[in-house]
Amino acid sequence: MFEAKLQQGGLLKKILESVKDLVVDGLWDCDGAAITLQGMDSSHVALVEMLLRAEAFEHYRCDRNVTLGMNHNHLSKILKCANNDDIVILKAADQNPDSCSLILESKNGEKTSDFVVSLVRIDTDQLGIPETEYSAHVKMSSGEFQRICRDLSQFGDAVQITCSKQDVKFSSSGETGKANITLTHSATVDKEEESVTVDLKEPVDLTFALRFLNLFTKATPISDTVTLSLSQEAPLVVEYKIGDSGHIRYFLAPKIQEDEENE
Amino acid sequence: MFEAKLQQGGLLKKILESVKDLVVDGLWDCDGAAITLQGMDSSHVALVEMLLRAEAFEHYRCDRNVTLGMNHNHLSKILKCANNDDIVILKAADQNPDSCSLILESKNGEKTSDFVVSLVRIDTDQLGIPETEYSAHVKMSSGEFQRICRDLSQFGDAVQITCSKQDVKFSSSGETGKANITLTHSATVDKEEESVTVDLKEPVDLTFALRFLNLFTKATPISDTVTLSLSQEAPLVVEYKIGDSGHIRYFLAPKIQEDEENE
Amino acid sequence: MFEAKLQQGGLLKKILESVKDLVVDGLWDCDGAAITLQGMDSSHVALVEMLLRAEAFEHYRCDRNVTLGMNHNHLSKILKCANNDDIVILKAADQNPDSCSLILESKNGEKTSDFVVSLVRIDTDQLGIPETEYSAHVKMSSGEFQRICRDLSQFGDAVQITCSKQDVKFSSSGETGKANITLTHSATVDKEEESVTVDLKEPVDLTFALRFLNLFTKATPISDTVTLSLSQEAPLVVEYKIGDSGHIRYFLAPKIQEDEENE
């Protein structure tokens, strides 16, 4: 049997909101250590990987590894019925279940909602993500990153990210004009989550589709900060920590610059 | 002459919002004791009955009984011009007026809005609602009832309501899966309006169209609590009290279970 | 060179919101004393005139007069990237520039956004607005004026404004019925911006298209009060002060009453 009890249902709501627009059907792999979800968007350009360790749960029991094929739209409808402080319990039979069950309990114990969710069959191989040495890590406010991606979408389809020792620059251009947003590291910021830190091995200059970055920023409510890992040879990684017990990571290959100019 | 002055215009706004989506044109019967409104939805499946006693008004004068055929969309547009603490005065000539007048006065007396409303002719007989012995009365938070109806609408078109001595269960199912929401009576709740009480003569198990229940819950702002009266032989009654001086009651026949399964 | 630095970027956002739905492309005339914008709506019925004096800016330098043809939709997109307390700097080369630049600086200095805006060519003559003696000036809460225009739009396409010594009346009628909203001057109001003052030389009775008045009230966030200047022989003026250092004025010709009745 698999059974996992989460004290704060709101967390599962946020996780689902951050993956469902990118990946419709996803495989939730449950083993003794963690629940892992991996999936690609329908155009196979972006990848999301979610990890939630057993420690995140008040109660966690996994007798045998089980893989749950979830329709994220259905799951999202169910979680819309949850208050943020509802307890959420996920239950599934061993091996190849056809359905799993989700139980929501109100804090005062007066309201219990239980749902039977039909599972879907998904044929995908898990992708191994190779360890990569990145040229730059940028840690910044997740809200600021969301704001920048949304703002630049008004100007163009793509954003060029340029990192130097002192600052990180986001640029976009189109019919409306040309926009550059520059964030400078400052030691004098009071709130740690508002400061920008750039950890740079070598300068990078890469261009990404804003459409996907905007989907990634659906994870903003999960963490106050986001880390961008950039390298000329590897996909961008956009990572949101789930407290101390997990993360959501998005991967996106850069646009080839020549192609972009010919568009 | 008929003249009625309501200190809190917001109340009339709430009443109108709770009937206008169900009944487009309604007969407002004004006599010496109260204003009464009765109407059916266009498919003649649901009935609404509103009663507002003379005591609810700061000033109430009705020389002769008068019936006002109101277009609720027009009336709603007028009341959108009212602030919640505006004074509302409804005036009509005796017998068969072609129009009535509605006056809004701001609290500080600086703003007066008066409206002439053309009345509509409506040919309907008032339905006598027979006294019924109900098998179960469920009193619960009106907000919780609204939430449950809205949440279950994601899963199916109908809700099955099952009452036992201990609890009341709302169930719905469809493509997304199966959902059961169970409310248990508890004596330990601090706020009376949040507790659930079930007054049961015999167990009931009835199914209703969620489309209508969702329309009924437009009355949620009128009262913190709602009472459901259920019986195997009679329509469901959903009642919201208007303070101590009136009520809004909705009536809805249960769905025949066999029909539902054949749909 | 032209360079103007505004401490509160929010002000420029509000100004733009109040003109962009009326005038798509506008000429911003910058001279040593002020920035002036004048434009008509596409149907050439309404005119807007905005004046922002050099004193409004923390820094203002204009070596030579320059006229900037702005696409207000593009400018609005840029200003959506600004926080209300961002510093905004507008820069342009002398004489006939093809583009101008707009710089947003966050309060803490960590974020700088710069935009290059392509300028558009606009062929319009500046209209001289003749000095007029008005029969009536009505000063009232800008929020109340917005509310009245919006409320009356539910009843008809036009509003009739009637001023007497004691009060000002806004009337509208249509299928829904007839609506009159009367504001009376009272000396007992606590908040000056909520009181209504009518400065009357002779009574006026004029009718205006609500569609335009509703566009004018986009300027409501700019000032707590609005002044209507009315005369039987001249267009209505709706004026919002920009603090002590400028204004937005809208001009609208009255509807000819006979025409209106024949519609």
Side-chain angles (χ1 to χ4, degrees):
Chain A
M1 203 185 82
F2 174 74
E3 187 173 324
K5 181 175 181 177
L6 199 59
Q7 199 66 27
Q8 294 287 328
L11 175 59
L12 200 57
K13 284 174 90 160
K14 289 180 196 166
I15 289 175
L16 212 78
E17 289 309 303
S18 66
V19 300
K20 82 176 172 61
D21 293 331
L22 201 66
V23 180
V24 177
D25 293 320
L27 278 178
W28 295 55
D29 273 309
C30 312
D31 63 26
I35 299 180
T36 321
L37 162 72
Q38 206 191 70
M40 297 197 85
D41 79 291
S42 60
S43 63
H44 286 249
V45 171
L47 177 80
V48 60
E49 183 207 65
M50 189 277 296
L51 172 82
L52 194 56
R53 286 191 207 93
E55 303 95 85
F57 298 89
E58 204 204 6
H59 167 76
Y60 190 92
R61 172 181 160 188
C62 184
D63 299 341
R64 228 185 261 206
N65 293 1
V66 64
T67 298
L68 308 173
M70 293 283 198
N71 176 308
H72 290 160
N73 287 331
H74 290 183
L75 203 54
S76 167
K77 282 184 181 177
I78 290 171
L79 287 169
K80 277 195 185 127
C81 304
N83 286 318
N84 286 335
D85 56 359
D86 278 359
I87 294 162
V88 176
I89 302 166
L90 180 64
K91 273 189 192 175
D94 275 345
Q95 291 172 308
N96 293 308
D98 286 336
S99 65
C100 68
S101 100
L102 217 116
I103 299 154
L104 310 176
E105 289 177 3
S106 70
K107 235 178 154 183
N108 65 11
E110 285 218 330
K111 183 178 175 184
T112 307
S113 310
D114 63 275
F115 304 88
V116 178
V117 197
S118 301
L119 296 176
V120 290
R121 221 187 120 168
I122 305 171
D123 296 311
T124 44
D125 295 327
Q126 293 297 92
L127 294 175
I129 296 156
E131 285 287 317
T132 308
E133 287 252 322
Y134 291 96
S135 306
H137 295 279
V138 178
K139 190 179 168 190
M140 59 185 289
S141 149
S142 61
E144 186 65 80
F145 180 60
Q146 183 179 40
R147 176 83 194 264
I148 289 172
C149 292
R150 202 184 55 206
D151 282 348
L152 290 182
S153 302
Q154 301 187 102
F155 297 91
D157 297 335
V159 57
Q160 181 186 3
I161 304 182
T162 324
C163 284
S164 72
K165 281 235 179 303
Q166 301 79 35
D167 55 33
V168 52
K169 190 169 79 173
F170 301 85
S171 307
S172 203
S173 63
E175 198 196 328
T176 304
K178 186 160 174 50
N180 294 304
I181 301 178
T182 308
L183 300 179
T184 317
H185 175 62
S186 145
T188 60
V189 174
D190 294 335
K191 300 181 195 161
E192 198 254 337
E193 72 269 18
E194 287 182 8
S195 84
V196 181
T197 56
V198 184
D199 173 11
L200 192 85
K201 290 227 181 67
E202 47 185 337
V204 286
D205 179 350
L206 293 158
T207 301
F208 301 97
L210 278 164
R211 190 169 84 77
F212 288 106
L213 296 187
N214 279 317
L215 286 174
F216 299 172
T217 61
K218 303 265 178 185
T220 303
I222 285 180
S223 173
D224 285 339
T225 59
V226 63
T227 303
L228 315 181
S229 300
L230 299 119
S231 164
Q232 221 71 25
E233 287 85 31
L236 163 75
V237 186
V238 179
E239 173 172 349
Y240 298 85
K241 294 270 183 214
I242 305 176
D244 293 327
S245 49
H247 62 248
I248 294 192
R249 286 187 192 139
Y250 301 93
F251 299 82
L252 179 65
K255 294 189 103 175
I256 311 301
Q257 306 260 357
E258 286 86 343
D259 282 7
E260 196 200 357
E261 277 158 23
N262 291 340
E263 262 173 29
Chain B
M1 202 185 83
F2 173 74
E3 187 173 324
K5 181 176 180 177
L6 198 60
Q7 199 66 28
Q8 294 287 329
L11 176 58
L12 200 58
K13 284 174 91 160
K14 289 179 196 166
I15 289 175
L16 212 79
E17 289 309 303
S18 65
V19 300
K20 82 175 172 61
D21 293 332
L22 201 65
V23 180
V24 178
D25 293 321
L27 279 178
W28 294 55
D29 273 310
C30 311
D31 63 25
I35 299 180
T36 321
L37 162 71
Q38 207 191 69
M40 297 196 84
D41 79 290
S42 60
S43 62
H44 286 250
V45 170
L47 177 81
V48 60
E49 183 207 64
M50 189 278 295
L51 172 82
L52 195 56
R53 288 192 205 92
E55 303 96 85
F57 298 89
E58 205 203 6
H59 167 76
Y60 191 92
R61 172 181 160 188
C62 183
D63 299 341
R64 229 184 261 206
N65 293 1
V66 64
T67 297
L68 308 173
M70 293 283 199
N71 177 309
H72 290 160
N73 287 331
H74 290 182
L75 202 53
S76 166
K77 281 183 181 177
I78 290 171
L79 287 169
K80 277 197 185 126
C81 305
N83 286 318
N84 286 335
D85 56 359
D86 278 359
I87 295 163
V88 176
I89 302 166
L90 180 64
K91 272 189 193 176
D94 276 344
Q95 293 173 307
N96 293 308
D98 286 336
S99 66
C100 69
S101 100
L102 217 117
I103 299 154
L104 310 176
E105 289 177 3
S106 70
K107 234 178 154 183
N108 66 10
E110 285 217 331
K111 182 178 175 185
T112 308
S113 310
D114 62 275
F115 304 88
V116 178
V117 197
S118 300
L119 296 175
V120 291
R121 221 186 120 169
I122 305 171
D123 296 312
T124 44
D125 295 326
Q126 293 296 93
L127 294 175
I129 295 156
E131 284 287 316
T132 308
E133 287 252 322
Y134 291 96
S135 306
H137 296 278
V138 178
K139 190 179 169 190
M140 60 185 289
S141 148
S142 61
E144 186 66 79
F145 180 60
Q146 183 179 39
R147 176 82 194 265
I148 289 172
C149 292
R150 203 184 54 205
D151 282 349
L152 291 182
S153 302
Q154 301 187 101
F155 298 91
D157 297 335
V159 57
Q160 181 186 2
I161 305 182
T162 323
C163 284
S164 71
K165 281 234 179 305
Q166 300 79 35
D167 55 32
V168 52
K169 191 168 79 174
F170 301 85
S171 307
S172 203
S173 64
E175 198 195 327
T176 304
K178 186 160 172 50
N180 294 305
I181 301 178
T182 308
L183 300 179
T184 316
H185 174 62
S186 145
T188 59
V189 174
D190 294 335
K191 299 180 194 161
E192 198 255 336
E193 72 269 18
E194 287 182 9
S195 85
V196 181
T197 57
V198 184
D199 174 10
L200 192 85
K201 289 226 181 68
E202 46 184 339
V204 287
D205 180 349
L206 292 158
T207 301
F208 301 98
L210 278 164
R211 190 169 84 77
F212 288 106
L213 297 187
N214 279 318
L215 286 174
F216 299 172
T217 61
K218 303 266 178 184
T220 303
I222 285 181
S223 173
D224 285 340
T225 59
V226 63
T227 303
L228 315 181
S229 300
L230 300 119
S231 165
Q232 220 71 27
E233 287 84 31
L236 163 75
V237 187
V238 179
E239 174 172 348
Y240 298 84
K241 294 271 184 215
I242 305 176
D244 293 327
S245 50
H247 62 248
I248 295 191
R249 286 188 191 138
Y250 301 93
F251 299 83
L252 179 65
K255 295 189 102 175
I256 312 300
Q257 306 260 357
E258 285 85 343
D259 282 8
E260 197 200 357
E261 278 158 22
N262 292 339
E263 262 174 27
Chain C
M1 202 185 82
F2 173 74
E3 186 173 325
K5 181 176 181 177
L6 198 60
Q7 198 67 27
Q8 295 287 328
L11 176 59
L12 200 57
K13 284 175 92 161
K14 289 180 195 166
I15 289 175
L16 212 78
E17 289 308 303
S18 65
V19 300
K20 82 176 173 60
D21 293 331
L22 202 66
V23 180
V24 178
D25 293 321
L27 278 178
W28 294 56
D29 273 310
C30 311
D31 63 25
I35 299 180
T36 321
L37 162 71
Q38 206 192 69
M40 297 196 85
D41 78 291
S42 60
S43 63
H44 286 250
V45 171
L47 177 81
V48 60
E49 183 207 65
M50 189 278 295
L51 173 81
L52 194 56
R53 286 192 206 92
E55 302 96 85
F57 298 88
E58 205 203 8
H59 167 76
Y60 191 92
R61 172 180 161 188
C62 183
D63 299 341
R64 229 185 261 208
N65 293 1
V66 64
T67 298
L68 308 173
M70 292 283 198
N71 176 309
H72 290 160
N73 287 330
H74 290 183
L75 202 53
S76 167
K77 281 183 182 178
I78 290 171
L79 287 169
K80 278 198 185 123
C81 305
N83 286 318
N84 286 335
D85 56 359
D86 278 359
I87 294 163
V88 176
I89 302 165
L90 180 64
K91 272 189 192 176
D94 276 343
Q95 292 172 309
N96 293 307
D98 287 336
S99 66
C100 68
S101 99
L102 216 116
I103 299 154
L104 310 177
E105 289 176 3
S106 70
K107 234 177 153 184
N108 66 10
E110 285 218 330
K111 183 178 175 184
T112 307
S113 310
D114 63 275
F115 304 88
V116 178
V117 197
S118 300
L119 296 175
V120 291
R121 221 187 121 170
I122 305 172
D123 296 311
T124 44
D125 294 327
Q126 292 296 93
L127 294 175
I129 295 157
E131 284 287 317
T132 308
E133 287 252 321
Y134 291 96
S135 306
H137 295 279
V138 178
K139 189 179 168 191
M140 59 185 289
S141 148
S142 61
E144 186 66 80
F145 180 61
Q146 183 179 39
R147 176 83 194 264
I148 289 172
C149 292
R150 202 184 54 205
D151 282 348
L152 290 182
S153 302
Q154 301 187 101
F155 297 91
D157 297 336
V159 57
Q160 181 186 3
I161 305 182
T162 324
C163 284
S164 71
K165 281 235 179 305
Q166 300 79 35
D167 54 32
V168 52
K169 191 168 79 173
F170 301 86
S171 307
S172 203
S173 63
E175 199 196 327
T176 304
K178 186 160 173 49
N180 294 305
I181 301 178
T182 309
L183 300 179
T184 317
H185 174 62
S186 145
T188 60
V189 174
D190 294 336
K191 299 180 194 160
E192 199 254 336
E193 72 269 18
E194 287 182 8
S195 85
V196 181
T197 57
V198 184
D199 173 10
L200 193 84
K201 289 227 181 67
E202 46 184 338
V204 286
D205 180 349
L206 293 158
T207 301
F208 301 98
L210 278 164
R211 190 169 84 77
F212 287 106
L213 296 187
N214 279 318
L215 286 174
F216 299 172
T217 61
K218 303 266 179 186
T220 303
I222 285 180
S223 173
D224 285 339
T225 59
V226 63
T227 303
L228 315 181
S229 300
L230 300 119
S231 164
Q232 221 70 28
E233 287 85 31
L236 163 74
V237 186
V238 179
E239 174 172 348
Y240 298 85
K241 294 270 184 214
I242 305 176
D244 294 327
S245 49
H247 62 248
I248 294 192
R249 286 186 192 141
Y250 301 93
F251 299 82
L252 179 65
K255 294 189 102 174
I256 312 300
Q257 306 260 358
E258 285 86 343
D259 282 7
E260 195 200 358
E261 278 158 22
N262 292 340
E263 260 173 30

